[in-house]
Amino acid sequence: MAPAEPAKRRRPKDKAAWAMRSASQQLEQLLGRPPESVSALKPADDGWEAVVEVLELERVPDTTSVMASYRVTLDKEGDLVAYERTRRYTRGQIDRRP
């Protein structure tokens, strides 16, 4: 009988990529819209926090489409425990906040 392989340990980079995918996929399931990008990601004491950008209303020209930023909170297992829309803006808008 062959010895069991040790469980793979995720390197810090792998954990961040895994958290980004997890946040995006679970938010898409809840909203029914695919995320455009993850614009921020940081570890938290009890998991991860991400900011995910989502196309909410497609318009022509594309620069007038309505986008939204969502703050997503994941627990240590990668399960979404909270999300909230923090901002709505047009795709072509430049963020002028300091």
Side-chain angles (χ1 to χ4, degrees):
M1 188 169 189
E5 288 186 36
K8 284 187 177 179
R9 298 190 111 197
R10 285 191 176 102
R11 295 178 304 183
K13 278 198 240 178
D14 295 340
K15 288 181 181 180
W18 166 80
M20 288 176 70
R21 282 190 304 274
S22 185
S24 294
Q25 291 169 351
Q26 291 179 72
L27 187 63
E28 180 176 1
Q29 289 175 348
L30 291 170
L31 299 178
R33 296 182 185 100
E36 295 265 321
S37 65
V38 176
S39 58
L41 178 72
K42 66 180 179 178
D45 291 337
D46 54 352
W48 292 88
E49 289 185 8
V51 176
V52 180
E53 308 302 323
V54 176
L55 174 64
E56 291 209 329
L57 181 61
E58 194 167 1
R59 291 185 175 159
V60 176
D62 191 50
T63 54
T64 63
S65 292
V66 178
M67 303 291 295
S69 298
Y70 285 86
R71 180 180 300 120
V72 177
T73 304
L74 304 175
D75 64 15
K76 288 181 180 180
E77 288 77 39
D79 293 322
L80 190 146
V81 293
Y83 77 96
E84 67 177 312
R85 185 172 61 197
T86 58
R87 181 172 172 242
R88 287 185 90 191
Y89 59 97
T90 58
R91 187 186 295 271
Q93 181 179 344
I94 297 172
D95 196 356
R96 298 185 190 275
R97 291 183 279 175

